[in-house]
């Protein structure tokens, strides 16, 4: 069952967690948790790592697990709720925006880089699932981000415009855009915008397709359920997601390093493989044996924390 306060994990006795908030450049209040080692000495400056949530996820789920484990290893770590979602501000609720979600990473750098106990020249990011694409997009232009690790990355803009593995035809895309355009009229006259279907809890059974079942077994059971994690966004968000690619300047991240972590058997693996090919050196691709996509949200026996520690210890110097 979920731990206290709807966190899906228990707080480690060797770690402290402090709720914090700050504004992004759009004036949206971001809700975040700051993790530190329990014996933390605030007098020197420390390296810090920002952890972004899977698409539709919140900080009380996988991001908190990552931040806690990184704090155990000596890092200052920050897990946050994306704008319009979780306990962060922004109206209407559950908007999805390539620009704003990318900005959320830079806002986290703003916050950490102004803490006396953080070395602003030693800040890295971890982007999980959909946040992997947003983290890379932020790093393309925000050179304060010194190292980037993505974990089972999804490129949300790409899948919105191209469909799964490029399966969306021009005719299908046109029909989707026509439907979104009509939905904008409906939303304009409605008290709240309509949301995409199939939010958590997601029903699933033995007949559910394997990808849907994988997400359902996390978001819709005691394993990962959180009331703020609806896994839904406004229907009209798709229009801007199609229009603004995330990784068109990925080579700009160089000479800062990128680590792409995937599950060996993850259905999302092709996103990381393609991004790895586009990225300039230094870059590294790391496949976790016997792991799928959602396994790397919370399975601490599979998440390669040693690899992440090695990567950030080497590159946040």
């Amino acid at each position: 069952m979920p731990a206290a306060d709807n966190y899906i994990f228990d707080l480690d006795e060797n770690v402290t967690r402090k709720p914090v908030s700050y504004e992004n450049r759009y004036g949206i209040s971001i809700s975040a948790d700051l993790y530190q080692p329990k014996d933390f000495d605030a007098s020197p400056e420390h390296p810090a790592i920002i952890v972004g949530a899977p698409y539709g996820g919140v900080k009380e789920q996988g991001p908190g697990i990552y931040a806690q484990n990184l704090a155990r290893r000596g890092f200052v770590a920050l897990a946050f709720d994306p704008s319009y979602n979780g306990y962060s501000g922004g109206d209407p609720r559950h908007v999805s925006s390539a620009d704003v979600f990318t900005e959320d990473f830079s806002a986290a750098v703003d916050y950490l880089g102004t803490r006396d106990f953080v070395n602003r020249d030693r800040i890295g990011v971890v982007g999980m699932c959909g946040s992997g694409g947003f983290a890379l997009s932020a790093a393309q232009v925000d050179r304060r981000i010194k190292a980037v690790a993505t974990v089972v990355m999804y490129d949300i803009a790409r899948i919105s415009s191209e469909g799964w593995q490029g399966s969306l035809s021009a005719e299908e895309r046109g029909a989707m855009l026509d439907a979104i355009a009509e939905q904008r009229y409906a939303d304009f006259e409605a008290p709240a915008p309509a949301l995409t279907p199939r939010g958590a809890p997601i029903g699933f059974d033995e007949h559910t397709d394997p990808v849907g079942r994988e997400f359902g077994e996390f978001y819709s059971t005691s394993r990962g359920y959180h009331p703020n994690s609806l896994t839904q966004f406004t229907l009209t968000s798709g229009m801007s997601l199609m229009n603004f690619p995330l990784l068109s300047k990925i080579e700009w991240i160089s000479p800062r390093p990128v680590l792409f972590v995937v599950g060996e058997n993850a259905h999302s693996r092709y996103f990381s493989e393609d991004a790895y090919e586009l990225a300039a050196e230094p870059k590294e691709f790391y496949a976790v044996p016997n792991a799928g996509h959602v396994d790397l949200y919370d399975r601490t026996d599979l998440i390669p924390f040693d690899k992440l520690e090695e990567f950030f210890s080497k590159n946040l110097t």
Side-chain angles (χ1 to χ4, degrees):
M1 295 299 291
D5 301 319
N6 288 317
Y7 289 85
I8 69 168
F9 60 97
D10 293 313
L11 184 64
D12 190 283
E13 62 181 6
N14 298 308
V15 171
T16 63
R17 178 174 61 215
K18 176 185 177 182
V20 300
S21 63
Y22 49 89
E23 289 189 354
N24 67 16
R25 72 183 181 91
Y26 294 110
I28 297 171
S29 178
I30 301 299
S31 176
D33 286 330
L34 185 68
Y35 290 80
Q36 298 168 326
K38 196 158 194 177
D39 57 355
F40 185 72
D41 180 1
S43 55
E45 294 181 341
H46 298 265
I49 300 173
I50 299 155
V51 185
Y55 196 61
V58 291
K59 64 185 181 301
E60 293 85 0
Q61 299 167 318
I65 293 173
Y66 275 73
Q68 171 165 276
N69 278 275
L70 290 167
R72 286 184 59 192
R73 293 160 184 263
F75 297 96
V76 173
L78 185 79
F80 67 90
D81 286 338
S83 293
Y84 307 108
N85 293 272
Y87 290 114
S88 287
D91 287 306
R93 303 303 294 164
H94 308 297
V95 167
S96 176
S97 167
D99 181 27
V100 178
F101 288 177
T102 296
E103 156 62 20
D104 286 343
F105 278 95
S106 290
V109 177
D110 295 340
Y111 173 79
L112 286 174
T114 53
R115 302 308 99 185
D116 291 339
F117 51 84
V118 170
N119 185 328
R120 62 172 56 176
D121 294 321
R122 302 174 68 192
I123 297 175
V125 301
V126 173
M128 303 173 62
C129 183
S131 279
F134 303 126
L136 289 170
S137 187
Q140 291 176 154
V141 292
D142 193 337
R143 293 164 65 87
R144 301 173 301 171
I145 297 170
K146 302 303 183 183
V148 186
T150 66
V151 180
V152 289
M153 183 192 74
Y154 255 71
D155 183 339
I156 299 300
R158 179 182 176 187
I159 198 171
S160 297
S161 61
E162 299 180 4
W164 181 250
Q165 295 186 335
S167 60
L168 192 66
S169 69
E171 292 75 16
E172 290 168 329
R173 183 167 50 250
M176 289 175 62
L177 288 170
D178 288 343
I180 291 172
E182 287 301 314
Q183 186 63 49
R184 288 185 63 109
Y185 287 128
D187 285 358
F188 188 80
E189 297 181 318
L195 300 180
T196 54
R198 288 194 68 195
I202 305 166
F204 63 91
D205 56 29
E206 66 275 12
H207 303 297
T208 304
D209 70 271
V211 173
R213 183 180 180 89
E214 186 179 9
F215 285 120
E217 287 176 344
F218 179 80
Y219 285 108
S220 305
T221 70
S222 59
R223 174 184 169 191
Y225 176 77
H226 191 280
N228 284 344
S229 182
L230 302 184
T231 68
Q232 291 175 282
F233 292 95
T234 59
L235 279 170
T236 55
S237 293
M239 185 179 283
S240 64
L241 288 170
M242 289 186 191
N243 204 28
F244 295 101
L246 290 170
L247 306 182
S248 59
K249 301 173 181 65
I250 192 171
E251 72 278 4
W252 289 9
I253 298 174
S254 177
R256 293 163 294 148
V258 183
L259 169 65
F260 297 90
V261 176
V262 301
E264 178 186 30
N265 304 316
H267 66 267
S268 57
R269 180 170 175 161
Y270 79 96
F271 288 116
S272 294
E273 290 174 337
D274 291 353
Y276 175 81
E277 291 300 319
L278 292 172
E281 296 286 353
K283 59 185 178 180
E284 185 175 358
F285 190 92
Y286 184 82
V288 179
N290 303 312
H293 179 88
V294 176
D295 287 333
L296 298 188
Y297 285 11
D298 65 329
R299 290 278 303 277
T300 53
D301 58 324
L302 289 175
I303 297 169
F305 288 118
D306 289 345
K307 182 65 180 178
L308 291 169
E309 179 183 12
E310 173 193 350
F311 174 75
F312 286 114
S313 294
K314 174 183 177 183
N315 294 298
L316 298 182
T317 57

